[in-house]
Amino acid sequence: MNKIPNKSKQIEFKYLDDETFILSFDKGRFYKLDKVGTDIWKLVDGKRDINEITEILYKKYDVKKTYLKKNVMEFLKRARKFSILTFKDKV
């Protein structure tokens, strides 16, 4: 994947222990991420592409890479749908 995810400018977020709490001003909604979602969220910096994020997580979690990539993709697609993430093409 050559897409680079980035956090939306229309949100505020806070970390609390292993969770992340996100307020979307655009949608007027509140979201809570679990530990895995938080680990993904922390890697979204507008510089790393999806493959780089998956590789970093693969070193942390003892799971099959295909399973991990599928879950990362699902998370990112859902976050985009909720307008808490945006994507740009990797140059």
Side-chain angles (χ1 to χ4, degrees), residues 11 14 17 26 30 34 36 43 45 47 52 57 64-65 77 86 88:
I11 63 162
K14 296 288 181 200
D17 298 322
D26 188 40
F30 174 79
D34 63 9
V36 176
L43 293 171
D45 62 0
K47 298 175 185 169
E52 291 170 307
L57 292 169
K64 290 184 179 181
K65 192 179 279 191
K77 284 179 186 177
T86 60
K88 66 180 179 181

Side-chain angles (χ1 to χ4, degrees), residues 31-77:
Y31 304 96
K32 178 181 147 191
L33 306 179
D34 63 9
K35 179 177 178 8
V36 176
T38 294
D39 285 345
I40 297 168
W41 185 258
K42 286 180 177 179
L43 293 171
V44 171
D45 62 0
K47 298 175 185 169
R48 294 182 183 103
D49 67 26
I50 296 169
N51 286 330
E52 291 170 307
I53 291 170
T54 302
E55 282 298 319
I56 292 168
L57 292 169
Y58 180 66
K59 292 174 185 173
K60 181 174 184 171
Y61 290 100
D62 185 26
V63 296
K64 290 184 179 181
K65 192 179 279 191
T66 54
Y67 174 80
L68 178 64
K69 185 154 192 157
K70 179 182 174 218
N71 282 288
V72 169
M73 291 298 298
E74 286 177 13
F75 173 89
L76 295 174
K77 284 179 186 177

